mmCIF file of all heavy atoms in Angstrom:
data_model
loop_
_atom_site.group_PDB
_atom_site.id
_atom_site.type_symbol
_atom_site.label_atom_id
_atom_site.label_comp_id
_atom_site.label_asym_id
_atom_site.label_seq_id
_atom_site.Cartn_x
_atom_site.Cartn_y
_atom_site.Cartn_z
ATOM 1 N N GLY A 195 11.611 -2.279 -6.222
ATOM 2 C CA GLY A 195 10.526 -2.146 -7.145
ATOM 3 C C GLY A 195 9.960 -3.556 -7.447
ATOM 4 O O GLY A 195 10.668 -4.444 -7.931
ATOM 5 N N ILE A 196 8.669 -3.764 -7.156
ATOM 6 C CA ILE A 196 8.059 -5.063 -7.317
ATOM 7 C C ILE A 196 7.083 -4.966 -8.488
ATOM 8 O O ILE A 196 6.178 -4.128 -8.513
ATOM 9 C CB ILE A 196 7.278 -5.436 -6.031
ATOM 10 C CG1 ILE A 196 8.244 -5.520 -4.882
ATOM 11 C CG2 ILE A 196 6.515 -6.729 -6.191
ATOM 12 C CD1 ILE A 196 7.616 -5.341 -3.513
ATOM 13 N N PHE A 197 7.325 -5.785 -9.503
ATOM 14 C CA PHE A 197 6.533 -5.586 -10.722
ATOM 15 C C PHE A 197 5.578 -6.724 -11.017
ATOM 16 O O PHE A 197 5.846 -7.903 -10.679
ATOM 17 C CB PHE A 197 7.397 -5.271 -11.911
ATOM 18 C CG PHE A 197 8.252 -6.383 -12.438
ATOM 19 C CD1 PHE A 197 7.813 -7.191 -13.468
ATOM 20 C CD2 PHE A 197 9.533 -6.585 -11.906
ATOM 21 C CE1 PHE A 197 8.627 -8.199 -13.961
ATOM 22 C CE2 PHE A 197 10.326 -7.636 -12.394
ATOM 23 C CZ PHE A 197 9.908 -8.420 -13.389
ATOM 24 N N HIS A 198 4.467 -6.390 -11.643
ATOM 25 C CA HIS A 198 3.398 -7.359 -12.024
ATOM 26 C C HIS A 198 3.012 -7.116 -13.477
ATOM 27 O O HIS A 198 2.939 -5.950 -13.926
ATOM 28 C CB HIS A 198 2.170 -7.144 -11.142
ATOM 29 C CG HIS A 198 2.376 -7.384 -9.690
ATOM 30 N ND1 HIS A 198 2.003 -8.482 -9.016
ATOM 31 C CD2 HIS A 198 2.972 -6.583 -8.751
ATOM 32 C CE1 HIS A 198 2.298 -8.427 -7.761
ATOM 33 N NE2 HIS A 198 2.899 -7.279 -7.544
ATOM 34 N N THR A 199 2.689 -8.159 -14.168
ATOM 35 C CA THR A 199 2.131 -8.013 -15.517
ATOM 36 C C THR A 199 0.651 -7.710 -15.419
ATOM 37 O O THR A 199 0.007 -7.846 -14.390
ATOM 38 C CB THR A 199 2.284 -9.326 -16.345
ATOM 39 O OG1 THR A 199 1.577 -10.361 -15.661
ATOM 40 C CG2 THR A 199 3.765 -9.667 -16.464
ATOM 41 N N GLY A 200 0.041 -7.327 -16.554
ATOM 42 C CA GLY A 200 -1.376 -7.093 -16.578
ATOM 43 C C GLY A 200 -2.167 -8.289 -16.201
ATOM 44 O O GLY A 200 -3.184 -8.246 -15.488
ATOM 45 N N GLU A 201 -1.737 -9.483 -16.659
ATOM 46 C CA GLU A 201 -2.455 -10.681 -16.336
ATOM 47 C C GLU A 201 -2.403 -10.997 -14.825
ATOM 48 O O GLU A 201 -3.392 -11.392 -14.231
ATOM 49 C CB GLU A 201 -1.852 -11.876 -17.097
ATOM 50 C CG GLU A 201 -2.564 -13.196 -16.848
ATOM 51 C CD GLU A 201 -1.893 -14.356 -17.577
ATOM 52 O OE1 GLU A 201 -0.704 -14.241 -17.916
ATOM 53 O OE2 GLU A 201 -2.541 -15.416 -17.756
ATOM 54 N N ARG A 202 -1.243 -10.855 -14.211
ATOM 55 C CA ARG A 202 -1.133 -11.129 -12.809
ATOM 56 C C ARG A 202 -1.936 -10.112 -11.970
ATOM 57 O O ARG A 202 -2.542 -10.525 -10.968
ATOM 58 C CB ARG A 202 0.339 -11.155 -12.383
ATOM 59 C CG ARG A 202 1.147 -12.252 -13.024
ATOM 60 C CD ARG A 202 2.056 -12.879 -12.075
ATOM 61 N NE ARG A 202 2.773 -13.973 -12.686
ATOM 62 C CZ ARG A 202 3.719 -14.681 -12.134
ATOM 63 N NH1 ARG A 202 4.075 -14.419 -10.870
ATOM 64 N NH2 ARG A 202 4.384 -15.663 -12.776
ATOM 65 N N TRP A 203 -1.931 -8.890 -12.384
ATOM 66 C CA TRP A 203 -2.718 -7.909 -11.693
ATOM 67 C C TRP A 203 -4.224 -8.216 -11.828
ATOM 68 O O TRP A 203 -4.985 -8.020 -10.874
ATOM 69 C CB TRP A 203 -2.407 -6.488 -12.214
ATOM 70 C CG TRP A 203 -2.784 -5.462 -11.232
ATOM 71 C CD1 TRP A 203 -3.833 -4.567 -11.304
ATOM 72 C CD2 TRP A 203 -2.051 -5.095 -10.032
ATOM 73 N NE1 TRP A 203 -3.846 -3.725 -10.167
ATOM 74 C CE2 TRP A 203 -2.756 -4.019 -9.410
ATOM 75 C CE3 TRP A 203 -0.915 -5.585 -9.412
ATOM 76 C CZ2 TRP A 203 -2.338 -3.459 -8.191
ATOM 77 C CZ3 TRP A 203 -0.492 -4.997 -8.203
ATOM 78 C CH2 TRP A 203 -1.207 -3.965 -7.624
ATOM 79 N N ALA A 204 -4.633 -8.692 -12.955
ATOM 80 C CA ALA A 204 -6.053 -9.101 -13.141
ATOM 81 C C ALA A 204 -6.390 -10.294 -12.242
ATOM 82 O O ALA A 204 -7.517 -10.338 -11.717
ATOM 83 C CB ALA A 204 -6.298 -9.450 -14.609
ATOM 84 N N ARG A 205 -5.456 -11.165 -12.028
ATOM 85 C CA ARG A 205 -5.687 -12.311 -11.135
ATOM 86 C C ARG A 205 -5.870 -11.819 -9.687
ATOM 87 O O ARG A 205 -6.592 -12.459 -8.936
ATOM 88 C CB ARG A 205 -4.567 -13.329 -11.287
ATOM 89 C CG ARG A 205 -4.594 -14.067 -12.594
ATOM 90 C CD ARG A 205 -3.503 -15.120 -12.641
ATOM 91 N NE ARG A 205 -3.499 -15.855 -13.942
ATOM 92 C CZ ARG A 205 -2.669 -16.809 -14.222
ATOM 93 N NH1 ARG A 205 -1.761 -17.190 -13.341
ATOM 94 N NH2 ARG A 205 -2.699 -17.432 -15.392
ATOM 95 N N TYR A 206 -5.172 -10.810 -9.338
ATOM 96 C CA TYR A 206 -5.337 -10.179 -8.010
ATOM 97 C C TYR A 206 -6.810 -9.791 -7.825
ATOM 98 O O TYR A 206 -7.450 -10.131 -6.838
ATOM 99 C CB TYR A 206 -4.436 -8.966 -7.941
ATOM 100 C CG TYR A 206 -4.605 -8.013 -6.792
ATOM 101 C CD1 TYR A 206 -5.027 -8.423 -5.538
ATOM 102 C CD2 TYR A 206 -4.338 -6.655 -6.982
ATOM 103 C CE1 TYR A 206 -5.173 -7.504 -4.490
ATOM 104 C CE2 TYR A 206 -4.476 -5.761 -5.953
ATOM 105 C CZ TYR A 206 -4.884 -6.202 -4.699
ATOM 106 O OH TYR A 206 -5.036 -5.284 -3.666
ATOM 107 N N GLY A 207 -7.381 -9.153 -8.847
ATOM 108 C CA GLY A 207 -8.753 -8.799 -8.794
ATOM 109 C C GLY A 207 -9.695 -10.016 -8.720
ATOM 110 O O GLY A 207 -10.676 -9.999 -8.025
ATOM 111 N N SER A 208 -9.319 -11.067 -9.424
ATOM 112 C CA SER A 208 -10.142 -12.303 -9.395
ATOM 113 C C SER A 208 -10.145 -12.902 -8.007
ATOM 114 O O SER A 208 -11.169 -13.394 -7.528
ATOM 115 C CB SER A 208 -9.600 -13.332 -10.382
ATOM 116 O OG SER A 208 -9.751 -12.813 -11.702
ATOM 117 N N GLU A 209 -8.987 -12.915 -7.329
ATOM 118 C CA GLU A 209 -8.913 -13.458 -5.955
ATOM 119 C C GLU A 209 -9.805 -12.658 -5.023
ATOM 120 O O GLU A 209 -10.519 -13.209 -4.209
ATOM 121 C CB GLU A 209 -7.468 -13.403 -5.466
ATOM 122 C CG GLU A 209 -6.546 -14.384 -6.149
ATOM 123 C CD GLU A 209 -6.952 -15.835 -5.917
ATOM 124 O OE1 GLU A 209 -7.318 -16.185 -4.736
ATOM 125 O OE2 GLU A 209 -6.912 -16.651 -6.847
ATOM 126 N N LEU A 210 -9.822 -11.319 -5.188
ATOM 127 C CA LEU A 210 -10.648 -10.518 -4.328
ATOM 128 C C LEU A 210 -12.116 -10.755 -4.575
ATOM 129 O O LEU A 210 -12.936 -10.803 -3.644
ATOM 130 C CB LEU A 210 -10.290 -9.010 -4.486
ATOM 131 C CG LEU A 210 -8.971 -8.557 -3.870
ATOM 132 C CD1 LEU A 210 -8.721 -7.107 -4.216
ATOM 133 C CD2 LEU A 210 -8.998 -8.709 -2.359
ATOM 134 N N ARG A 211 -12.467 -10.891 -5.814
ATOM 135 C CA ARG A 211 -13.899 -11.096 -6.164
ATOM 136 C C ARG A 211 -14.458 -12.329 -5.486
ATOM 137 O O ARG A 211 -15.653 -12.381 -5.209
ATOM 138 C CB ARG A 211 -14.088 -11.167 -7.684
ATOM 139 C CG ARG A 211 -14.116 -9.838 -8.391
ATOM 140 C CD ARG A 211 -14.658 -9.951 -9.770
ATOM 141 N NE ARG A 211 -13.765 -10.739 -10.634
ATOM 142 C CZ ARG A 211 -12.743 -10.281 -11.318
ATOM 143 N NH1 ARG A 211 -12.401 -9.019 -11.183
ATOM 144 N NH2 ARG A 211 -12.001 -11.082 -12.059
ATOM 145 N N ALA A 212 -13.574 -13.324 -5.231
ATOM 146 C CA ALA A 212 -14.084 -14.558 -4.645
ATOM 147 C C ALA A 212 -14.389 -14.439 -3.152
ATOM 148 O O ALA A 212 -15.061 -15.288 -2.622
ATOM 149 C CB ALA A 212 -13.010 -15.635 -4.858
ATOM 150 N N VAL A 213 -13.897 -13.347 -2.524
ATOM 151 C CA VAL A 213 -14.043 -13.285 -1.036
ATOM 152 C C VAL A 213 -14.630 -11.970 -0.555
ATOM 153 O O VAL A 213 -14.676 -11.737 0.661
ATOM 154 C CB VAL A 213 -12.647 -13.477 -0.367
ATOM 155 C CG1 VAL A 213 -12.171 -14.905 -0.528
ATOM 156 C CG2 VAL A 213 -11.594 -12.515 -0.933
#
Side-chain angles (χ1 to χ4, degrees):
I196 300 157
F197 69 94
H198 299 257
T199 62
E201 181 183 20
R202 295 223 178 176
W203 201 255
R205 289 183 181 180
Y206 168 34
S208 296
E209 290 297 317
L210 285 176
R211 279 194 296 274
V213 290

